[in-house]
Amino acid sequence: MYSSLEELKKHPVFYYFSEISNIPRGSGNEKAISDYLLYFAKQRNLEVIQDEALNIIIKKPAVTGYEDIPAVIIQGHMDMVCEKNKESLHDFEKDPLQLRIVGDMLYATDTTLGADNGIAVAYALALLDSDDIPHPALEVVITTEEETNMRGAFAVDPACLDGEIFINIDSEEDNKLLVSGAGGIKATQILTITWQEAPENAVGYRISIRGLKGGHSGMSIHKGRGNANKIIGRLLYDLSSAFPYFIQEINGGSAVNAIPREADVTILLQSSEIGQLENKIQEWNQVLKNELRASDPDIYVKLEKIPLDCTKVFSEQTMNKAITFLMLIPNGIQSMSMEIEGLVESSTNIGVVTTIDKELLFESDIRSSVKSLKDNIRNQMKLMADTLDCQFTTDCNYPEWPYQPHSNIRRLFEKVYKDRHGTDIELIAVHAGFECGIFVEKLPGIDAISIGPDIYDVHTPNEHLNIPSTLNNWRYFLSVLKEMNTFKFEEHNETAIEEAEEVS
């Protein structure tokens, strides 16, 4: 469809997507992109708020004929997950993304694309910049730090918003309406490292897990993909039964909400044990190729001799505790929904393991559409930390987004879709955290929905965006806005409100 980026950028959505791709916007590094959005609004004389969390709220008045329609909040987040291939020299703190087209897909070279959630920002800017798109009053809310702790959404002052309809653009499946999402919490277990002197005449080796696909810890958790941190734990446990060795450091994963694709451990051992180590690595390559032949056929374990640059190693007690953590920490699907076929109800992902000076950190992403089950997984992890005499902290405890039985905006999206395609659109609930839950809590009575184009391999360097789907979803979105002046918005009656409360 599009043979070059220059041709693609002639469309306003992709023009703005390209513009923001030039601005570093990893979670916690949003000042530049927030300032860009602030400048954009001021240049167009639009009302704009930049709060202390660097969230941006831009307001645009209704066009003629749409003044009496309830204001619409359009919401997404400006930050992205920063994952790259090991060999990539890309610096997410300063380098622009290198966009490229392959067929109908848009990629970034060796890095995440940031379509999650740059596409929401691009849609919003294209809409705000237009003077010929019919729409009611708009309140565009672009938040920060969604990918790490949703601190931006939590910080939004609800008094700044008047909208009654909420359209989130952070879904990743075209031709579907997202109507419910999971809540979540980040759990961190901290093991204090006791160091001891490295043994004399020891040699150093780095063992690396490579070739895994990874993926979003919510959207891809059901795909059975290997978790590099769990795999390195299994390997270390097996080695400990074969010959003596010492650990210098363990590091795996780079984002708590991404299934870790890579992990490394540095071990020391005597020269006489090298042959056994090499044999074990060969065995594990065969084991993992067999176990993950369907989900991760390219997995491999790499063994590399390295020079020793440290005279300290984990004590035996620290080493045993670290391996115990990696072996026993809950990971993967914990329960499936009995109400929605195929929907993961609860899960956890041990996303990051980091050796820092005197501490070994284990960071997990817990998700559930049922609060009590989310709390239960948290309690399991706390009990494990207590048993192994570790610190335990939690962060980013965000609420579930319950299904709303009565929804005007859902009815409108359904009507427009059927008018366009002659068939009913699919309603879905997903096992992922959405800022919708936070805003539904903040804004009682808000009518929420989530849409988005097809995005694949999110939170990995293979992330790619379907270009025709993006354009189709954009036209669908605009058709909904256009039809708002003829659609009959019904008031919520008491029965509907009671039903919603029962479901939640």
Side-chain angles (χ1 to χ4, degrees), residues 65-66 68-72 134-138 165-167 408-409 412-413 416 477-489:
Y66 288 74
D68 296 332
I69 301 168
V72 176
H135 63 77
L138 302 177
I165 297 168
F166 188 91
I167 303 175
N408 280 311
I409 191 60
L412 177 55
F413 268 98
V416 172
F477 173 49
L478 296 190
S479 295
V480 168
L481 294 178
K482 180 179 181 180
E483 195 148 335
M484 282 185 173
N485 72 334
T486 59
F487 183 74
K488 180 176 172 56
F489 285 88

Side-chain angles (χ1 to χ4, degrees), residues 32-263:
I33 183 66
S34 180
D35 286 348
Y36 170 86
L37 297 174
L38 180 68
Y39 178 78
F40 169 94
K42 288 183 175 181
Q43 286 294 105
R44 289 156 182 80
N45 296 314
L46 297 173
E47 181 182 349
V48 61
I49 300 169
Q50 182 184 54
D51 65 21
E52 291 185 1
L54 297 179
N55 296 311
I56 292 290
I57 299 175
I58 304 173
K59 299 187 179 186
K60 185 177 183 181
V63 303
T64 302
Y66 288 74
E67 299 92 341
D68 296 332
I69 301 168
V72 176
I73 300 171
I74 297 170
Q75 191 269 324
H77 60 90
M78 65 184 78
D79 61 317
M80 62 176 280
V81 167
C82 296
E83 283 269 304
K84 65 179 181 178
N85 290 324
K86 202 72 173 181
E87 64 276 9
S88 173
L89 299 178
H90 184 89
D91 186 345
F92 282 108
E93 295 291 318
K94 62 181 181 180
D95 294 339
L97 301 175
Q98 300 300 313
L99 304 182
R100 59 190 174 90
I101 297 175
V102 180
D104 283 340
M105 303 294 176
L106 184 66
Y107 292 78
T109 302
D110 291 328
T111 70
T112 36
L113 175 64
D116 176 16
N117 190 219
I119 200 63
V121 181
Y123 274 21
L125 296 181
L127 177 58
L128 291 169
D129 197 33
S130 171
D131 56 9
D132 60 358
I133 295 175
H135 63 77
L138 302 177
E139 298 178 332
V140 171
V141 182
I142 307 297
T143 55
T144 56
E145 295 189 87
E146 189 272 351
E147 298 290 4
T148 51
N149 50 39
M150 296 200 186
R151 189 169 288 128
F154 280 114
V156 171
D157 183 355
C160 296
L161 302 172
D162 299 309
E164 299 176 22
I165 297 168
F166 188 91
I167 303 175
N168 168 277
I169 310 177
D170 197 10
S171 187
E172 296 156 8
E173 292 182 274
D174 198 9
N175 299 304
K176 295 180 182 180
L177 288 180
L178 181 59
V179 297
S180 178
I185 186 170
K186 174 185 172 183
T188 302
Q189 291 146 311
I190 305 171
L191 173 61
T192 299
I193 300 172
T194 301
W195 296 98
Q196 68 180 44
E197 293 295 325
E200 293 184 4
N201 303 318
V203 292
Y205 279 86
R206 180 181 295 114
I207 304 172
S208 303
I209 306 298
R210 295 290 185 271
L212 293 170
K213 292 180 180 178
H216 189 289
S217 65
M219 303 294 281
S220 299
I221 201 72
H222 65 288
K223 296 179 180 178
R225 293 176 179 172
N227 180 304
N229 291 329
K230 290 293 286 185
I231 291 170
I232 210 76
R234 290 177 59 192
L235 193 153
L236 289 172
Y237 179 76
D238 187 41
L239 294 185
S240 64
S241 65
F243 53 84
Y245 68 91
F246 300 86
I247 295 176
Q248 238 178 26
E249 62 177 347
I250 309 172
N251 295 290
S254 58
V256 71
N257 58 354
I259 301 170
R261 299 176 297 110
E262 300 177 349

Side-chain angles (χ1 to χ4, degrees), residues 162-453:
D162 299 309
E164 299 176 22
I165 297 168
F166 188 91
I167 303 175
N168 168 277
I169 310 177
D170 197 10
S171 187
E172 296 156 8
E173 292 182 274
D174 198 9
N175 299 304
K176 295 180 182 180
L177 288 180
L178 181 59
V179 297
S180 178
I185 186 170
K186 174 185 172 183
T188 302
Q189 291 146 311
I190 305 171
L191 173 61
T192 299
I193 300 172
T194 301
W195 296 98
Q196 68 180 44
E197 293 295 325
E200 293 184 4
N201 303 318
V203 292
Y205 279 86
R206 180 181 295 114
I207 304 172
S208 303
I209 306 298
R210 295 290 185 271
L212 293 170
K213 292 180 180 178
H216 189 289
S217 65
M219 303 294 281
S220 299
I221 201 72
H222 65 288
K223 296 179 180 178
R225 293 176 179 172
N227 180 304
N229 291 329
K230 290 293 286 185
I231 291 170
I232 210 76
R234 290 177 59 192
L235 193 153
L236 289 172
Y237 179 76
D238 187 41
L239 294 185
S240 64
S241 65
F243 53 84
Y245 68 91
F246 300 86
I247 295 176
Q248 238 178 26
E249 62 177 347
I250 309 172
N251 295 290
S254 58
V256 71
N257 58 354
I259 301 170
R261 299 176 297 110
E262 300 177 349
D264 300 280
V265 60
T266 301
I267 67 171
L268 275 63
L269 71 166
Q270 297 299 322
S271 299
S272 58
E273 313 293 353
I274 294 175
Q276 290 191 73
L277 173 62
E278 292 173 340
N279 290 337
K280 278 292 184 183
I281 297 303
Q282 289 180 3
E283 287 179 17
W284 273 95
N285 268 302
Q286 295 172 359
V287 167
L288 295 171
K289 283 286 187 183
N290 178 59
E291 286 185 0
L292 301 172
R293 61 184 181 274
S295 63
D296 293 278
D298 297 326
I299 187 175
Y300 65 96
V301 186
K302 178 182 178 181
L303 182 64
E304 176 186 10
K305 187 174 182 180
I306 59 173
L308 297 180
D309 57 2
C310 177
T311 61
K312 302 290 186 181
V313 294
F314 291 1
S315 69
E316 182 179 1
Q317 184 183 47
T318 297
M319 174 174 158
N320 289 338
K321 285 183 178 182
I323 295 174
T324 300
F325 253 115
L326 291 172
M327 286 291 291
L328 299 183
I329 193 167
N331 185 74
I333 295 173
Q334 302 297 299
S335 65
M336 298 293 294
S337 172
M338 294 294 102
E339 297 176 314
I340 303 176
E341 185 177 355
L343 176 66
V344 177
E345 184 176 64
S346 306
S347 77
T348 181
N349 173 64
I350 172 63
V352 180
V353 177
T354 314
T355 305
I356 306 175
D357 193 17
K358 298 180 180 180
E359 296 178 336
L360 188 59
L361 275 61
F362 303 85
E363 298 176 73
S364 294
D365 194 19
I366 303 170
R367 300 175 187 268
S368 183
S369 53
V370 180
K371 182 180 184 300
S372 59
L373 294 177
K374 180 179 71 175
D375 292 343
N376 182 59
I377 298 171
R378 173 200 173 279
N379 292 340
Q380 285 180 272
M381 291 191 172
K382 183 179 186 305
L383 182 60
M384 185 177 173
D386 291 343
T387 302
L388 293 173
D389 193 26
C390 299
Q391 298 178 55
F392 180 79
T393 62
T394 58
D395 188 20
C396 188
N397 190 349
Y398 56 90
E400 303 74 26
W401 171 28
Y403 173 73
Q404 296 171 291
H406 179 93
S407 169
N408 280 311
I409 191 60
R410 184 176 70 242
R411 286 195 305 114
L412 177 55
F413 268 98
E414 288 177 307
K415 177 186 181 302
V416 172
Y417 188 87
K418 192 157 190 173
D419 290 346
R420 286 164 57 90
H421 301 282
T423 59
D424 292 330
I425 193 169
E426 182 181 355
L427 304 182
I428 61 170
V430 297
H431 186 63
F434 280 83
E435 291 168 301
C436 297
I438 297 172
F439 285 97
V440 166
E441 267 198 354
K442 282 178 175 285
L443 304 166
I446 197 76
D447 192 3
I449 200 81
S450 181
I451 62 167

